[in-house]
């Protein structure tokens, strides 16, 4: 049964390889991709319920004893993120049938998407810190293809910056892993946790913790390392932007969450206080960007930065409530960001512009689009009973429990900024006098984009309204993060 944890990685990788052939046959490319995603989603559901039933699952490849072999681990955090990733990608790929463009579809778009899934799911599942680097590189190589797909001038310009940042980050990642190995003598994440506990995290390990925060912070776009993200993410077409916005920064967030709850837990006064300060600064920076722009892409992109800060604030509390809120909010943000990017993609398709000042009056002809956008916007801001409410409430509760009263109040206040930034799009684009409208609107294309978007918004509503059904899974995830022994026992003692 443990082999199930490899399937959400192996299946996308297998389908990515067979999609390398028959690039000109769009029907083959589309059907094969959807088939691969459906099979992967079924396996991810099976894995999730297996973890729920039997606890964290581990598999060491090649029958090597732990910690010498390469270990893959699926706990509740990993299983939830893998399932969410696959579901979101399914809707984005469906949405892309109407918006990515046939020329892009014929140029390795679908293999690129499946290779990104391989890297993202691998990063969520690996139990080896060096293999985390390897899976990061897999997803980054695929993202290099997708960011330049179409070869527009803005894409090529921003891709250079994107690649440079990630090359520097990856080099620093390898150096930091080497430093860590020189101190603890192992790469297995469970074994690293045990070894650091034995030596009680001396100063050198705290320095390594800060270096890891620098590495993962660059990938997660925390303050002040987010400088590359707004323009780089705005350059590719909307389906690629939705995929990047929903998934890529979240892998960096997950890496911080995992290392700062599993390894670096013995000098909280420094490491987690630093994380808390950076989380608050990240929220401030994102809020300024979201309010300053009149470009709909940039407004939602800066909201990615805000959400990263909110999640990491929950992680910094290092109590079960805060960590449960962080996981809750992380999955909410993946779903709602994908939905919002898809919604603004439809708005851009209808108006032919990304400039809010040129939009207006869409509610008259597209009322359904307007109301679904409003629901998604309210969900992002955490208006009850929508999906963002519970996660943020738990994070704030965790902050109060940890004695961080004023910073918790600040997190609560940041919801007003988020709401203001996204409601501005609703007011400018959907109300008032008729603004710019594209002359090339195709009803079939509109419907292909609209239906998967609506379904994803419904999923976000269910995630909020159906909280009581989701809480048991989130409780398990929070327990694993707050008690590293659950993870280490599953790996080092054979687990289940």
């Amino acid at each position: 049964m443990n082999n199930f944890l490899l399937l959400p990685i192996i299946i996308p990788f297998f389908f990515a390889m067979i999609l390398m052939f028959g690039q000109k046959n769009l029907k083959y490319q589309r059907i094969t991709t959807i088939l691969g995603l459906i099979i992967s989603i079924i396996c991810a559901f099976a894995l999730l319920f297996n973890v729920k039933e039997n606890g964290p699952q581990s598999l060491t490849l090649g029958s090597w004893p732990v910690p010498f072999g390469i270990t893959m681990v699926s706990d509740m955090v990993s299983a939830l993120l893998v399932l969410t990733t696959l579901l979101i990608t399914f809707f984005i790929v469906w949405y892309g049938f109407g918006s990515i463009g046939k020329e892009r579809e014929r140029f390795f778009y679908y293999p690129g998407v499946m290779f990104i899934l391989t890297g993202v799911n691998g990063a969520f599942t690996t139990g080896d810190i060096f293999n985390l680097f390897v899976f990061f590189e897999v997803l980054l190589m695929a993202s290099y293809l997708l960011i330049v797909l179409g070869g527009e001038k803005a894409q090529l310009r921003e891709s250079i910056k994107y690649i440079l940042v990630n090359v520097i980050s990856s080099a620093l990642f390898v150096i930091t892993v080497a430093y860590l190995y020189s101190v603890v003598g192992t790469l297995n994440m469970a074994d690293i946790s045990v070894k650091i506990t034995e030596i009680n995290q001396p100063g050198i390990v705290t320095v390594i913790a800060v270096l890891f925060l620098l590495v993962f912070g660059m990938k997660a776009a925390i303050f002040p390392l987010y400088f590359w993200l707004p323009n780089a993410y705005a350059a590719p077409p909307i389906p690629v932007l939705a995929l990047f916005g929903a998934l890529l920064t979240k892998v960096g967030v997950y890496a911080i969450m995992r290392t700062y709850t599993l390894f670096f837990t013995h000098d909280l006064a420094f490491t987690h206080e630093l994380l808390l300060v950076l989380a608050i600064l990240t929220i401030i920076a994102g809020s300024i960007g979201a309010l300053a722009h009149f470009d709909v892409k940039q407004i939602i992109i800066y909201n990615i930065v805000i959400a990263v800060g909110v999640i990491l604030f929950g992680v910094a509390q290092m109590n079960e409530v805060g960590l449960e809120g962080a996981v809750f909010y992380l999955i909410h943000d993946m779903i709602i960001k994908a939905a919002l990017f898809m919604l603004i993609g439809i708005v851009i398709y209808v108006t032919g512009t990304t400039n809010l000042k040129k939009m207006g009056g869409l509610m008259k002809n597209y009322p359904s689009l307007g109301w679904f956008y409003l629901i998604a916007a309210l969900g992002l801001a955490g208006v009850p009973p929508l999906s963002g409410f519970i996660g943020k409430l738990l994070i704030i509760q965790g902050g109060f429990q940890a004695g961080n009263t004023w910073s918790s109040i600040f997190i609560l206040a940041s919801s007003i900024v988020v709401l203001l930034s996204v409601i501005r799009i609703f007011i400018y684009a959907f109300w008032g006098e008729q603004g710019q409208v594209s002359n090339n609107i195709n009803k079939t294309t509109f419907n292909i984009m609209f239906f998967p978007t609506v379904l994803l918004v419904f999923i976000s509503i269910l995630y909020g309204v159906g909280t009581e059904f989701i809480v048991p899974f989130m409780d398990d995830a929070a327990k694993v993060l707050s008690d590293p022994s659950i993870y280490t026992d599953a790996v080092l003692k054979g687990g289940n």
Side-chain angles (χ1 to χ4, degrees):
M1 196 66 177
N2 284 15
N3 292 326
F4 259 116
L5 66 87
L6 293 178
L7 292 180
I9 306 166
I10 292 171
I11 293 169
F13 181 67
F14 171 75
F15 276 89
M17 289 192 294
I18 64 172
L19 283 164
M20 298 288 282
F21 305 96
Q23 280 302 306
K24 303 302 178 185
N25 188 337
L26 281 188
K27 189 175 180 181
Y28 161 74
Q29 291 284 313
R30 291 176 175 183
I31 291 172
T32 305
T33 303
I34 291 295
L35 179 63
L37 287 169
I38 291 171
I39 295 170
S40 300
I41 288 167
I42 292 168
C43 293
F45 268 113
L47 175 62
L48 179 70
F49 287 107
N50 184 32
V51 171
K52 178 62 182 166
E53 185 79 19
N54 302 309
Q57 305 292 299
S58 67
L59 176 68
T60 303
L61 305 178
S63 298
W64 286 80
V66 178
F68 304 107
I70 293 172
T71 303
M72 307 300 286
V73 185
S74 186
D75 60 4
M76 188 53 73
V77 180
S78 167
L80 285 167
L81 291 173
V82 165
L83 176 59
T84 307
T85 296
L86 290 165
L87 280 171
I88 289 168
T89 307
F90 174 81
F91 289 108
I92 291 172
V93 167
W94 180 5
Y95 174 91
F97 293 163
S99 60
I100 191 71
K102 291 182 178 179
E103 289 306 310
R104 287 189 173 100
E105 284 185 277
R106 291 191 176 100
F107 199 79
F108 301 100
Y109 166 66
Y110 294 108
V113 169
M114 299 306 270
F115 276 125
I116 274 193
L117 281 182
T118 304
V120 171
N121 288 344
F124 288 150
T125 309
T126 185
D128 182 286
I129 193 70
F130 184 77
N131 270 344
L132 181 61
F133 163 75
V134 171
F135 282 117
F136 262 117
E137 293 309 297
V138 171
L139 71 90
L140 285 172
M141 283 188 285
S143 73
Y144 298 154
L145 163 69
L146 293 180
I147 199 171
V148 297
L149 202 59
E152 294 176 6
K153 186 177 179 181
Q155 288 178 268
L156 296 171
R157 183 183 66 245
E158 294 304 324
S159 68
I160 295 169
K161 185 197 303 180
Y162 178 77
I163 292 169
L164 276 174
V165 166
N166 281 295
V167 166
I168 294 167
S169 174
S170 296
L172 188 57
F173 193 171
V174 174
I175 292 167
T176 307
V177 169
Y179 279 148
L180 182 61
Y181 183 77
S182 72
V183 174
V184 295
T186 182
L187 294 171
N188 183 285
M189 289 161 73
D191 200 34
I192 291 170
S193 177
V194 171
K195 293 290 198 311
I196 290 176
T197 302
E198 288 173 355
I199 59 177
N200 199 28
Q201 191 166 332
I204 184 63
V205 176
T206 300
V207 172
I208 292 168
V210 174
L211 286 173
F212 269 119
L213 185 58
L214 184 64
V215 170
F216 298 139
M218 201 173 289
K219 297 180 187 298
I222 67 171
F223 180 88
L225 306 169
Y226 70 95
F227 61 89
W228 59 271
L229 182 133
N231 291 333
Y233 275 22
I238 290 292
V240 176
L241 167 56
L243 196 67
F244 284 14
L247 301 183
L248 295 197
T249 53
K250 306 309 184 295
V251 182
V253 170
Y254 165 79
I256 295 171
M257 182 185 288
R258 179 64 78 189
T259 54
Y260 269 62
T261 57
L262 186 62
F263 307 163
F264 309 120
T265 58
H266 306 280
D267 190 10
L268 302 183
F270 183 83
T271 54
H272 288 63
E273 200 65 30
L274 175 63
L275 183 61
L276 186 146
V277 170
L278 289 177
I280 291 170
L281 291 174
T282 301
I283 294 169
I284 293 169
S287 299
I288 293 168
L291 293 176
H293 282 276
F294 277 87
D295 183 292
V296 288
K297 285 185 182 179
Q298 295 286 3
I299 291 169
I300 307 299
I301 287 169
Y302 273 102
N303 271 285
I304 296 173
V305 178
I306 296 172
V308 167
V310 172
I311 296 161
L312 293 180
F313 180 85
V315 175
Q317 306 316 308
M318 276 305 284
N319 54 39
E320 195 169 313
V321 178
L323 290 167
E324 184 173 353
V327 178
F328 227 117
Y329 201 84
L330 173 58
I331 293 171
H332 142 78
D333 195 65
M334 292 168 74
I335 297 168
I336 207 71
K337 284 297 191 308
L340 278 168
F341 281 121
M342 291 159 74
L343 284 161
I344 65 163
I346 300 171
V347 171
I348 294 166
Y349 174 71
V350 169
T351 60
T353 180
T354 62
N355 189 340
L356 271 182
K357 293 179 180 178
K358 295 180 181 179
M359 298 178 187
L362 291 180
M363 189 59 83
K364 182 178 179 181
N365 295 319
Y366 302 95
S368 298
L369 176 62
W371 294 122
F372 275 108
Y373 174 81
L374 180 61
I375 291 167
L378 294 176
L380 179 70
V383 174
L386 298 173
S387 59
F389 172 69
I390 295 296
K392 190 164 284 188
L393 182 67
L394 290 169
I395 288 171
I396 292 164
Q397 187 181 338
F400 282 129
Q401 279 190 16
N404 297 312
T405 306
W406 288 109
S407 52
S408 298
I409 293 170
F410 170 78
I411 298 295
L412 187 61
S414 71
S415 298
I416 299 169
V417 176
V418 172
L419 183 61
L420 180 60
S421 69
V422 287
I423 287 296
R424 213 158 42 112
I425 297 177
F426 183 68
I427 294 169
Y428 272 84
F430 292 96
W431 295 108
E433 295 181 6
Q434 183 69 52
Q436 182 176 317
V437 178
S438 174
N439 297 320
N440 301 314
I441 301 171
N442 181 290
K443 190 174 180 181
T444 304
T445 301
F446 178 89
N447 289 335
I448 291 171
M449 296 167 72
F450 188 64
F451 288 133
T453 307
V454 167
L455 289 174
L456 196 54
V457 173
F458 271 120
I459 288 173
S460 78
I461 294 169
L462 290 173
Y463 186 71
V465 175
T467 298
E468 64 177 301
F469 300 104
I470 299 166
V471 163
F473 296 92
M474 297 298 168
D475 283 342
D476 287 356
K479 284 184 176 70
V480 170
L481 291 174
S482 59
D483 182 4
S485 66
I486 297 173
Y487 183 98
T488 56
D489 287 350
V491 178
L492 300 176
K493 296 179 182 178
N496 295 282

